């Protein structure tokens, strides 16, 4: 890594914020940037081809703006579809976030795992490959949590507990019927409702995400570098009317308002 720039996080929306928070708690003196690529939200409904172009374009503007030491692609959909393209296009190092199939396979006693992710991630060949590599012989049940992604991005801040339970209900019913004993949260948005998901299964299902694995990897990569003196800024791409929501998220995660890029 070449400079002392900030650690930058990237997602289609607010999904990557818990990842930033995890790393920041361990490395409070580094400085942080976050981009919610709202202009292209939701990623999960788009094709691989379309996403590739959109993500490269947004990343180019983001990197120019914040000059990071490293970029954490805190989005499973962006990572499974475009991580290789990003590495081929930019010289900055990238850390990706992909569904934690491997740790889930290690935890599952019944060899029946659930994957809750976006439509793109659920269908993507990258995911098939993860399953082949790390959960060969396991039953892997996949559910695209399209409505949950939308809910978390647009309604979470003012949501009542019963509204959260309602939006989770179809996924909970699906995985309960399939009798999974371990569930992978394969979309970063779902970390915002991790406790509610665990509760909806009455504690019977082990919930697995990639936050710690990714966080440790980031720390390893930046450990020899100066982090830029602390602080953080939140940027959002191309929104109309919803600035207030994103300002509230920035405040909730103690990030300054970088503005609309
Ligand atoms: N947060 C993203 C992920 O981890 C996806 C949300 C979207 O569909 O834009 O996959």
């Amino acid at each position: 890594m070449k400079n002392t720039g900030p650690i930058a996080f990237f997602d289609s929306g607010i999904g990557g914020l818990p990842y930033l928070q995890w790393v920041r708690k361990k490395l409070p003196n580094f400085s942080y940037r976050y981009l919610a690529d709202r202009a292209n939200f939701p990623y999960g409904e788009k094709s691989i081809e379309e996403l590739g172009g959109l993500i490269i374009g947004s990343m180019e503007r983001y990197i120019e703006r914040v000059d990071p030491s490293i970029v954490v692609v805190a989005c499973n959909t962006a990572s499974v579809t475009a991580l290789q393209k990003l590495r081929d296009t930019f010289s900055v190092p990238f850390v990706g976030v992909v569904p934690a199939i491997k740790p889930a396979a290690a935890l599952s006693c019944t060899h029946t795992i659930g994957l809750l992710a976006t439509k793109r991630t659920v269908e993507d060949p990258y995911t098939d490959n993860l399953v082949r590599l790390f959960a060969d012989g396991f039953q892997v049940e996949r559910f695209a949590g399209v409505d949950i992604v939308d809910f978390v991005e647009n309604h979470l801040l003012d949501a009542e507990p019963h509204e959260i339970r309602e939006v989770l209900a179809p996924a909970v019913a699906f995985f309960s019927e399939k009798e999974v004993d371990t569930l992978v949260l394969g979309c970063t948005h779902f970390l915002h409702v991790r406790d509610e998901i665990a509760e909806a299964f009455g504690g019977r299902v082990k919930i697995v995400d990639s936050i710690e694995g990714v966080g440790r990897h980031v720390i390893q990569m930046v450990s020899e570098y100066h982090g830029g003196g602390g602080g953080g800024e939140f940027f959002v791409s191309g929104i109309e009317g919803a600035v207030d929501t994103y300002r509230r998220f920035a405040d909730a995660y103690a990030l300054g308002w970088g503005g609309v890029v």
Side-chain angles (χ1 to χ4, degrees):
M1 276 166 29
K2 63 179 181 354
N3 64 28
T4 57
I7 303 177
F9 288 73
F10 176 94
D11 180 45
S12 61
I14 51 91
L17 285 170
Y19 286 76
L20 181 151
Q21 187 178 48
W22 195 98
V23 176
R24 196 180 190 186
K25 269 196 187 132
K26 307 275 178 195
L27 301 175
N29 297 325
F30 280 58
S31 71
Y32 294 86
R33 299 291 180 271
Y34 189 92
L35 175 64
D37 189 18
R38 170 68 192 214
N40 300 314
F41 176 88
Y43 283 176
E45 308 298 295
K46 297 185 170 64
S47 69
I48 299 180
E49 295 70 31
E50 191 183 3
L51 273 178
L54 292 173
I55 290 169
I56 296 288
S58 295
M59 190 62 79
E60 187 169 12
R61 287 186 289 280
Y62 186 37
I63 288 175
E64 255 174 47
R65 178 75 178 251
V66 306
D67 191 20
S69 295
I70 182 171
V71 178
V72 184
V73 183
C75 174
N76 294 260
T77 312
S79 299
V80 301
T81 56
L83 192 58
Q84 195 51 52
K85 246 186 229 120
L86 288 167
R87 290 186 169 135
D88 294 344
T89 309
F90 303 102
S91 57
V92 61
F94 289 95
V95 173
V97 171
V98 300
I101 300 287
K102 189 180 178 184
L107 279 177
S108 172
C109 301
T110 62
H111 288 198
T112 308
I113 295 173
L115 171 63
L116 180 59
T118 64
K119 188 164 177 292
R120 176 74 261 129
T121 300
V122 158
E123 291 171 358
D124 205 87
Y126 190 104
T127 303
D128 295 337
N129 203 35
L130 281 178
V131 170
R132 255 195 310 275
L133 279 174
F134 302 119
D136 196 27
F138 284 60
Q139 188 69 24
V140 181
E141 303 290 350
R142 308 178 192 194
F143 187 93
V146 178
D147 296 341
I148 311 174
V149 172
D150 180 73
F151 182 88
V152 169
E153 185 71 21
N154 294 309
H155 305 292
L156 186 65
L157 286 174
D158 298 312
E160 298 287 339
H162 76 90
E163 294 174 306
I164 302 178
R165 280 197 297 274
E166 273 159 34
V167 78
L168 296 177
V172 172
F174 174 83
F175 290 120
S176 299
E177 208 248 315
K178 301 289 181 192
E179 298 187 340
V180 307
D181 75 338
T182 308
L183 177 66
V184 178
L185 303 186
C187 168
T188 55
H189 277 71
F190 304 156
L191 272 74
H192 289 278
V193 287
R194 194 186 200 283
D195 291 348
E196 289 84 351
I197 292 172
E199 200 177 298
F201 287 104
R204 289 181 302 276
V205 171
K206 286 167 260 194
I207 309 294
V208 179
D209 62 53
S210 55
I211 201 162
E212 217 173 305
V214 169
R216 286 189 202 288
H217 188 191
V218 173
I219 289 168
Q220 233 171 23
M221 286 183 71
V222 300
S223 61
E224 288 167 23
Y225 295 84
H226 299 292
E233 272 187 317
F234 184 103
F235 298 87
V236 62
S237 70
I239 37 161
E240 282 158 29
V243 176
D244 189 46
T245 303
Y246 291 94
R247 278 185 175 274
R248 286 171 67 195
F249 271 112
D251 281 352
Y253 283 81
L255 296 167
W257 182 246
V260 180
V261 294

